[in-house]
Amino acid sequence: MKYFYSFSAIAKREWIELKRYWFNSFIGIVMYILVFLALFTGAQSIGQNNFALMDSLEGFLIGYALWFLAIGAFSDTAHSIIDEARKGTLEQLYMTEIPFTWLLISKNLVSTVFFLLLFVFIIIMQMQITGIALNLDLLSISITLFISLFSLYGIGLILAGLGLVFKRIQNLLGAAQFVIVGIMVLSPTTIPFVKFLPFVYGRELIMNIMREGYSVFNFTIIDWSFLIGNSVIYMLVGLYGYKLSERQVLKRGMLGQY
Amino acid sequence: MGMVDYLQVNNLQKLYYVNNSKIKAVDDVTFNVKAGEVFGLLGPNGAGKTSIIKCICGLLDYDGGDIIVNGYSMKNKRRKGLRHISAVLEGNRNIYWRMTVKENLEFFSGINGISSSKVKERINYLINQFQLQQQKDTVVNKLSRGMKQKVAIAISLIANKDIILLDEPTLGLDVSMSHEMRSILRGIAKDENKTILLSTHDMNVVEATCDRLIIINKGKIIAKDTVDNLKSLFNKEIYKVTLMEGPKNQLKERLKKVAQLLNYQKQAENTSLLLQLDNGNQLIEIFQLFKEEGISLIAIEKVTKNLEGIFIDLLKEEQHEILL
């Protein structure tokens, strides 16, 4: 039960912060919609076959929403740890008998629920703006997104660890955004090995769900294996990378310094 | 039966590597803190106090020795040790400044694995105890430094752990808040029956709150005893003598044979001397000297050293030893 109570505490804190600082989140979504409108209008005027991000309007719409979400997911982990270190509260989180890893996973679980709601909201907004109809199979989208986001949290953990050790990693975080653009563009059907990259397989499945009407009930063993395996492996790699950084940080006493 | 050692620090060593050179931040530090005791870690800035505190609460790996918290080594059983420790580190940074006092208390009980229904009473008790009734729904960011420190200490008590570590609890507080903080600390030890380890460079805090203390400088213990013992040990027979006129050189030399002349101040209307004697009987000899030289005595008073004076003496002594 201790783990449940700590999860509840993290969830409540996230809710309080979201509620109290809703204006910042609201402006973020408004900016996103405005940029989407500009890109969409520009893309329409160039022509359907010349999209830089995707090969169709539907693909562009989903790809852009997923990119927004992916950026949020990996930077959420990295930023939140670095932010806690800067404020000094990270040391307190390390001083509980509940493992810090659990507190981190709790935060990721809560963020995932938030990201799922956000994704559905912005997709509906985009569908209204563009008049494009997509298959909104909420169950399939939620399950796939829920699982695949953990691969990005793993990457976020590595970046967070680097942030604790090297302190200033803004440029690396900036560069990672471009890497995620690459992840959104690369297709495992044309370049098979990219399905080993984080989030790629999940993204492809979500594309198929929303465009082709694919469903979790049609997922093959290979689909499930890649989806779950990819997230588990990247999360484990992320946790291991973070632990390596943590060892250095605890040795040098830098947990509360930023 | 003696009290149980809740916290044992045995031959603790912490090294830092700066520019390829090794710095001993904590050098063979050993002490123990008994249940219900208020123990002080006194030392100047950079003495190694925070490093010791952070090693105890598992935020800093140590290179030698061990720390045992209620029977658990912080090297191998860190998480079990943490069941008994909570801490307020320097600058009351254990609080979420964008959450209210009550929200903070609820959050920190939750992440320690305590259910919100179980902790309700405890939250109300602490809010009353720390007189935070009016501030309980205020965002911490809007509170004064002293209030924030109160909240930080209240948070450290929320999980009802046995040992509370406080790093510089009165740093940056005004005089009245510093006084209030000292009475809060005494109250915690007495009413809550907590074991407190506090680090400070403020001698008044130690004098007012601690049962025992260690004084550290450059990572090493230079004194370890009860506050009372240290005070009596270092309070030699020191007297401030005020004379009508200054003693001539000849008298000064004669005085130095009887007592140690610590200070000599010549003012417009009188002269004061600070003399350290081996025992009070030497005063008779000194009076005799004054009589022989025809010097009029205005006043004589015994000087009692507070902890600050002792602390400065110890640092001077250590400096002297290094120079030798």
Side-chain angles (χ1 to χ4, degrees):
Chain A
M1 285 305 271
K2 281 185 173 184
Y3 283 73
F4 173 73
Y5 296 138
S6 59
F7 171 81
S8 306
I10 297 278
K12 195 173 174 193
R13 184 195 64 185
E14 293 299 302
W15 173 240
I16 289 167
E17 295 229 332
L18 185 71
K19 219 170 46 172
R20 198 152 290 155
Y21 300 96
W22 63 271
F23 186 72
N24 190 40
S25 317
F26 174 73
I27 291 295
I29 295 169
V30 169
M31 288 306 294
Y32 166 82
I33 299 286
L34 288 176
V35 173
F36 172 75
L37 263 174
L39 283 174
F40 183 74
T41 315
Q44 259 186 331
S45 67
I46 294 165
Q48 202 167 324
N49 296 324
N50 295 321
F51 287 125
L53 279 172
M54 281 296 145
D55 58 356
S56 70
L57 269 172
E58 290 90 354
F60 169 68
L61 194 150
I62 305 163
Y64 186 62
L66 284 174
W67 171 77
F68 180 67
L69 215 61
I71 297 282
F74 97 90
S75 63
D76 181 58
T77 308
H79 277 137
S80 67
I81 292 177
I82 292 168
D83 193 43
E84 299 263 13
R86 191 176 50 78
K87 287 188 286 195
T89 42
L90 188 63
E91 288 181 329
Q92 287 297 320
L93 301 182
Y94 266 86
M95 271 190 277
T96 65
E97 57 170 296
I98 309 284
F100 179 69
T101 317
W102 172 248
L103 299 180
L104 215 54
I105 290 171
S106 301
K107 153 95 179 141
N108 286 341
L109 288 169
V110 176
S111 298
T112 306
V113 174
F114 168 73
F115 285 134
L116 279 173
L117 294 173
L118 186 65
F119 180 73
V120 173
F121 173 74
I122 58 179
I123 280 287
I124 291 172
M125 287 289 287
Q126 289 177 170
M127 283 163 65
Q128 293 299 318
I129 291 167
T130 59
I132 292 170
L134 292 166
N135 174 35
L136 264 186
D137 175 356
L138 289 181
L139 180 74
S140 299
I141 293 170
S142 303
I143 291 173
T144 315
L145 204 54
F146 190 90
I147 297 169
S148 54
L149 277 176
F150 277 83
S151 59
L152 290 172
Y153 295 144
I155 305 298
L157 276 174
I158 294 174
L159 292 172
L162 292 174
L164 288 180
V165 174
F166 297 106
K167 307 301 171 198
R168 290 189 178 273
I169 56 155
Q170 280 83 353
N171 289 339
L172 185 62
L173 285 172
Q177 296 196 9
F178 291 103
V179 173
I180 287 180
V181 172
I183 286 174
M184 290 301 142
V185 176
L186 299 170
S187 167
T189 44
T190 48
I191 318 165
F193 79 88
V194 297
K195 59 174 166 270
F196 294 104
L197 292 174
F199 198 64
V200 169
Y201 204 84
R203 181 217 69 196
E204 197 67 3
L205 287 173
I206 291 169
M207 287 272 188
N208 289 341
I209 292 165
M210 297 182 78
R211 285 199 300 190
E212 322 287 346
Y214 202 46
S215 151
V216 277
F217 300 109
N218 309 123
F219 279 12
T220 61
I221 294 288
I222 293 171
D223 287 338
W224 284 115
S225 307
F226 265 104
L227 185 65
I228 296 170
N230 186 283
S231 281
V232 169
I233 287 169
Y234 277 104
M235 193 65 188
L236 289 177
V237 168
L239 283 170
Y240 180 70
Y242 183 78
K243 285 277 170 197
L244 285 181
S245 305
E246 183 191 86
R247 211 174 295 163
Q248 279 302 312
V249 167
L250 288 177
K251 203 170 169 55
R252 296 193 221 165
M254 294 153 64
L255 206 56
Q257 299 169 0
Y258 195 76
Chain B
M1 203 176 81
M3 284 190 288
V4 185
D5 284 347
Y6 249 42
L7 172 67
Q8 293 170 37
V9 176
N10 301 324
N11 310 105
L12 187 69
Q13 273 205 340
K14 175 65 199 169
L15 306 170
Y16 289 113
Y17 295 87
V18 182
N19 299 331
N20 292 329
S21 60
K22 210 163 45 175
I23 295 169
K24 278 187 182 176
V26 182
D27 189 2
D28 203 24
V29 167
T30 297
F31 64 92
N32 61 323
V33 187
K34 296 179 190 308
E37 192 175 27
V38 182
F39 193 94
L41 261 175
L42 184 65
N45 290 335
K49 305 183 298 284
T50 301
S51 290
I52 294 173
I53 295 256
K54 287 195 173 182
C55 284
I56 295 171
C57 53
L59 296 175
L60 188 58
D61 287 345
Y62 41 93
D63 301 285
D66 206 356
I67 294 165
I68 312 291
V69 176
N70 209 18
Y72 299 109
S73 160
M74 290 304 283
K75 202 168 239 171
N76 311 317
K77 305 266 181 198
R78 180 180 172 272
R79 204 158 292 140
K80 284 191 173 166
L82 285 174
R83 280 185 198 163
H84 304 276
I85 285 185
S86 63
V88 180
L89 300 173
E90 195 185 325
N92 51 48
R93 303 205 312 156
N94 65 335
I95 334 170
Y96 286 91
W97 286 25
R98 293 190 292 191
M99 296 203 311
T100 67
V101 173
K102 205 172 166 205
E103 285 164 354
N104 265 290
L105 286 164
E106 285 169 348
F107 174 75
F108 282 102
S109 61
I111 61 157
N112 277 289
I114 306 167
S115 79
S116 52
S117 57
K118 265 189 188 168
V119 85
K120 253 182 199 163
E121 257 182 52
R122 178 97 182 129
I123 288 176
N124 289 333
Y125 168 77
L126 288 172
I127 284 174
N128 288 329
Q129 192 77 351
F130 283 81
Q131 295 171 358
L132 290 165
Q133 294 94 331
Q134 286 185 333
Q135 292 81 13
K136 67 177 179 182
D137 295 317
T138 306
V139 173
V140 169
N141 203 17
K142 290 182 181 166
L143 299 178
S144 67
R145 192 182 171 105
M147 280 290 176
K148 280 181 189 137
Q149 187 69 337
K150 270 190 182 184
V151 176
I153 295 175
I155 287 171
S156 73
L157 294 169
I158 191 70
N160 223 347
K161 296 182 180 181
D162 310 308
I163 305 169
I164 315 292
L165 307 178
L166 302 167
D167 193 10
E168 298 281 3
T170 56
L171 190 73
L173 301 186
D174 61 34
V175 179
S176 74
M177 189 49 93
S178 181
H179 268 276
E180 194 182 338
M181 198 52 70
R182 284 179 227 168
S183 82
I184 285 174
L185 297 179
R186 280 193 299 265
I188 293 168
K190 201 175 155 214
D191 307 335
E192 296 260 329
N193 197 27
K194 301 290 179 206
T195 304
I196 297 178
L197 173 69
L198 65 90
S199 84
T200 183
H201 64 269
D202 185 346
M203 273 62 69
N204 297 323
V205 174
V206 175
E207 214 162 345
T209 55
C210 295
D211 303 307
R212 287 192 302 143
L213 81 154
I214 56 168
I215 300 178
I216 53 169
N217 190 36
K218 293 174 186 160
K220 281 186 173 174
I221 294 182
I222 54 173
K224 174 164 49 172
D225 214 325
T226 63
V227 174
D228 290 341
N229 276 356
L230 268 181
K231 279 167 79 177
S232 61
L233 185 70
F234 282 83
N235 269 316
K236 294 169 187 164
E237 298 283 320
I238 297 172
Y239 293 88
K240 187 183 176 190
V241 181
T242 311
L243 307 169
M244 267 303 225
E245 67 266 39
K248 290 174 189 128
N249 282 343
Q250 188 194 338
L251 176 65
K252 264 197 206 171
E253 290 309 311
R254 291 181 71 187
L255 265 176
K256 280 180 187 172
K257 283 179 187 161
V258 183
Q260 201 183 330
L261 184 60
L262 297 177
N263 197 9
Y264 169 80
Q265 265 188 320
K266 191 166 169 44
Q267 283 146 356
E269 295 188 354
N270 56 48
T271 301
S272 65
L273 309 171
L274 202 59
L275 298 168
Q276 185 177 308
L277 315 180
D278 292 330
N279 61 68
N281 288 337
Q282 286 172 308
L283 277 174
I284 300 165
E285 274 182 73
I286 288 166
F287 288 149
Q288 190 62 39
L289 280 177
F290 290 156
K291 197 180 167 189
E292 283 170 22
E293 295 287 334
I295 288 175
S296 310
L297 186 68
I298 298 175
I300 182 161
E301 58 179 310
K302 191 171 182 192
V303 178
T304 311
K305 263 192 194 175
N306 61 8
L307 207 51
E308 184 162 355
I310 294 167
F311 178 62
I312 291 163
D313 280 357
L314 278 165
L315 291 184
K316 273 185 193 164
E317 250 174 54
E318 216 210 8
Q319 193 69 28
H320 181 65
E321 276 171 26
I322 290 167
L323 288 172
L324 284 174

